[in-house]
PDB file of all heavy atoms in Angstrom:
ATOM      1  N   GLU A 388     109.562 107.298  92.083  1.00 93.00           N
ATOM      2  CA  GLU A 388     109.928 106.574  93.249  1.00 93.00           C
ATOM      3  C   GLU A 388     109.111 107.201  94.506  1.00 93.00           C
ATOM      4  O   GLU A 388     108.712 106.395  95.344  1.00 93.00           O
ATOM      5  CB  GLU A 388     111.462 106.868  93.658  1.00 93.00           C
ATOM      6  CG  GLU A 388     112.341 105.966  92.578  1.00 93.00           C
ATOM      7  CD  GLU A 388     113.821 106.373  92.883  1.00 93.00           C
ATOM      8  OE1 GLU A 388     114.132 107.631  92.721  1.00 93.00           O
ATOM      9  OE2 GLU A 388     114.616 105.472  93.109  1.00 93.00           O
ATOM     10  N   ASP A 389     108.955 108.413  94.487  1.00 92.00           N
ATOM     11  CA  ASP A 389     108.146 109.057  95.651  1.00 92.00           C
ATOM     12  C   ASP A 389     106.776 108.443  95.818  1.00 92.00           C
ATOM     13  O   ASP A 389     106.352 108.181  96.804  1.00 92.00           O
ATOM     14  CB  ASP A 389     108.211 110.589  95.522  1.00 92.00           C
ATOM     15  CG  ASP A 389     107.492 111.235  96.685  1.00 92.00           C
ATOM     16  OD1 ASP A 389     107.826 110.931  97.808  1.00 92.00           O
ATOM     17  OD2 ASP A 389     106.536 112.059  96.409  1.00 92.00           O
ATOM     18  N   PHE A 390     106.148 108.270  94.613  1.00 90.00           N
ATOM     19  CA  PHE A 390     104.854 107.711  94.643  1.00 90.00           C
ATOM     20  C   PHE A 390     104.853 106.329  95.218  1.00 90.00           C
ATOM     21  O   PHE A 390     103.845 105.878  95.847  1.00 90.00           O
ATOM     22  CB  PHE A 390     104.157 107.822  93.329  1.00 90.00           C
ATOM     23  CG  PHE A 390     103.442 109.172  93.123  1.00 90.00           C
ATOM     24  CD1 PHE A 390     104.167 110.311  92.788  1.00 90.00           C
ATOM     25  CD2 PHE A 390     102.160 109.285  93.417  1.00 90.00           C
ATOM     26  CE1 PHE A 390     103.539 111.484  92.622  1.00 90.00           C
ATOM     27  CE2 PHE A 390     101.484 110.502  93.251  1.00 90.00           C
ATOM     28  CZ  PHE A 390     102.165 111.573  92.814  1.00 90.00           C
ATOM     29  N   LEU A 391     105.819 105.515  95.005  1.00 91.00           N
ATOM     30  CA  LEU A 391     105.959 104.143  95.429  1.00 91.00           C
ATOM     31  C   LEU A 391     106.301 104.241  96.915  1.00 91.00           C
ATOM     32  O   LEU A 391     105.926 103.418  97.728  1.00 91.00           O
ATOM     33  CB  LEU A 391     106.880 103.328  94.630  1.00 91.00           C
ATOM     34  CG  LEU A 391     106.466 102.968  93.280  1.00 91.00           C
ATOM     35  CD1 LEU A 391     107.643 102.386  92.480  1.00 91.00           C
ATOM     36  CD2 LEU A 391     105.212 102.027  93.364  1.00 91.00           C
ATOM     37  N   LEU A 392     107.111 105.126  97.416  1.00 91.00           N
ATOM     38  CA  LEU A 392     107.673 105.211  98.790  1.00 91.00           C
ATOM     39  C   LEU A 392     106.563 105.666  99.714  1.00 91.00           C
ATOM     40  O   LEU A 392     106.717 105.385 100.961  1.00 91.00           O
ATOM     41  CB  LEU A 392     108.808 106.231  98.915  1.00 91.00           C
ATOM     42  CG  LEU A 392     110.146 105.806  98.128  1.00 91.00           C
ATOM     43  CD1 LEU A 392     111.088 106.939  98.120  1.00 91.00           C
ATOM     44  CD2 LEU A 392     110.733 104.571  98.875  1.00 91.00           C
ATOM     45  N   ARG A 393     105.552 106.264  99.232  1.00 86.00           N
ATOM     46  CA  ARG A 393     104.555 106.741 100.226  1.00 86.00           C
ATOM     47  C   ARG A 393     103.819 105.543 100.858  1.00 86.00           C
ATOM     48  O   ARG A 393     103.066 105.829 101.897  1.00 86.00           O
ATOM     49  CB  ARG A 393     103.488 107.600  99.396  1.00 86.00           C
ATOM     50  CG  ARG A 393     104.116 108.894  98.971  1.00 86.00           C
ATOM     51  CD  ARG A 393     103.092 109.729  98.281  1.00 86.00           C
ATOM     52  NE  ARG A 393     103.739 110.812  97.626  1.00 86.00           N
ATOM     53  CZ  ARG A 393     103.053 111.808  96.983  1.00 86.00           C
ATOM     54  NH1 ARG A 393     101.836 111.892  96.999  1.00 86.00           N
ATOM     55  NH2 ARG A 393     103.794 112.814  96.409  1.00 86.00           N
ATOM     56  N   GLY A 394     103.973 104.359 100.437  1.00 66.00           N
ATOM     57  CA  GLY A 394     103.507 103.212 101.159  1.00 66.00           C
ATOM     58  C   GLY A 394     102.089 102.938 101.080  1.00 66.00           C
ATOM     59  O   GLY A 394     101.365 102.298 101.933  1.00 66.00           O
ATOM     60  N   ARG A 395     101.392 103.547 100.153  1.00 67.00           N
ATOM     61  CA  ARG A 395      99.984 103.218  99.935  1.00 67.00           C
ATOM     62  C   ARG A 395      99.747 101.834  99.559  1.00 67.00           C
ATOM     63  O   ARG A 395     100.666 101.110  99.058  1.00 67.00           O
ATOM     64  CB  ARG A 395      99.347 104.176  98.903  1.00 67.00           C
ATOM     65  CG  ARG A 395      99.422 105.626  99.388  1.00 67.00           C
ATOM     66  CD  ARG A 395      98.308 106.339  98.612  1.00 67.00           C
ATOM     67  NE  ARG A 395      98.380 107.764  98.943  1.00 67.00           N
ATOM     68  CZ  ARG A 395      97.647 108.398  99.849  1.00 67.00           C
ATOM     69  NH1 ARG A 395      96.835 107.629 100.582  1.00 67.00           N
ATOM     70  NH2 ARG A 395      97.697 109.648 100.139  1.00 67.00           N
TER      71      ARG A 395
END
Side-chain angles (χ1 to χ4, degrees):
E388 287 172 305
D389 184 50
F390 273 82
L391 289 172
L392 290 171
R393 292 183 193 186
R395 295 204 183 263

